[in-house]
Amino acid sequence: MGDLSRILRREYEPGPDCAWIWRLGLHPRVALFLWKVVWDRLPTRAVLGGRGVRIPLVCGVCGVAETVDHALFRCTWARATWRLAGVPQVVWRGRDPFLQAMRQGLESPLLRQGAVRASCTAFQIWLARNARTFDERRMSPRFVVERARVQAAELGYTIPVGGTLIARDT
Ligand SMILES: [Zn+2]
């Protein structure tokens, strides 16, 4: 145990302070995902390629280098999903603005609701990217938005839905 904590300390310090993530009250899987975004630990194609995994380094949708910023925020497919989810663009214009908005979720219940909704959306975008990358399963942005909505609802948050999803909820 002593060795492990020494290794963990060596690997994880100094670095970004992540205590705020756990205070947001997210689903543990979403919290872990956010933690990986903060630490740049998501296994993107760029990361996998750097580890010697034989995989195309470019996004299968856009044909540009797949980084965290690309996979979650700049990818054509991701952007379509964010738009459909109705999350303000100021939140998803990049990794840093996104993390800043998540952190602000601690400031008020309303901001927290926005943060939960956006973090669930980002998480589902990542899961759909994994399905596309490793299982060649394609999910529609609408399906992903719905999954994020359900996930946020499990935490007691309601996500207002737009477009054709409204009928289902009324
Ligand atoms: Zn892309």
Side-chain angles (χ1 to χ4, degrees):
M1 206 55 209
D3 281 350
L4 180 62
S5 68
R6 237 188 339 270
I7 290 165
L8 288 174
R9 215 174 306 135
R10 195 166 57 228
E11 186 163 356
Y12 299 131
E13 281 180 351
D17 165 29
C18 293
W20 61 272
I21 294 176
W22 316 108
R23 295 210 305 272
L24 275 175
L26 297 166
H27 188 286
R29 288 182 68 200
V30 181
L32 184 63
F33 163 78
L34 261 193
W35 184 89
K36 288 180 178 174
V37 174
V38 171
W39 281 87
D40 216 358
R41 293 292 170 96
L42 288 176
T44 57
R45 288 168 178 270
V47 169
L48 294 174
R51 288 187 199 149
V53 177
R54 291 171 63 90
I55 186 172
L57 299 183
V58 296
C59 168
V61 179
C62 316
V64 301
E66 192 202 52
T67 58
V68 168
D69 217 33
H70 180 83
L72 297 180
F73 307 111
R74 307 213 189 271
C75 184
T76 315
W77 189 90
R79 292 167 70 90
T81 307
W82 283 112
R83 271 191 216 102
L84 193 65
V87 176
Q89 192 171 356
V90 63
V91 172
W92 51 268
R93 55 176 205 246
R95 177 174 168 270
D96 293 342
F98 170 76
L99 288 174
Q100 197 185 341
M102 296 308 96
R103 211 176 173 130
Q104 282 169 350
L106 294 172
E107 290 170 16
S108 78
L110 193 66
L111 289 173
R112 188 189 195 118
Q113 177 157 342
V116 168
R117 169 183 168 189
S119 56
C120 289
T121 304
F123 179 57
Q124 293 298 336
I125 285 175
W126 177 250
L127 293 186
R129 172 270 181 199
N130 289 344
R132 215 165 44 230
T133 305
F134 302 112
D135 304 332
E136 297 188 352
R137 272 190 297 128
R138 303 202 166 266
M139 295 175 193
S140 69
R142 182 181 301 175
F143 179 75
V144 172
V145 167
E146 177 65 9
R147 289 228 302 208
R149 197 181 69 81
V150 168
Q151 189 165 42
E154 280 169 8
L155 295 165
Y157 293 94
T158 1
I159 295 182
V161 286
T164 50
L165 291 175
I166 284 173
R168 244 195 74 156
D169 285 15
T170 47

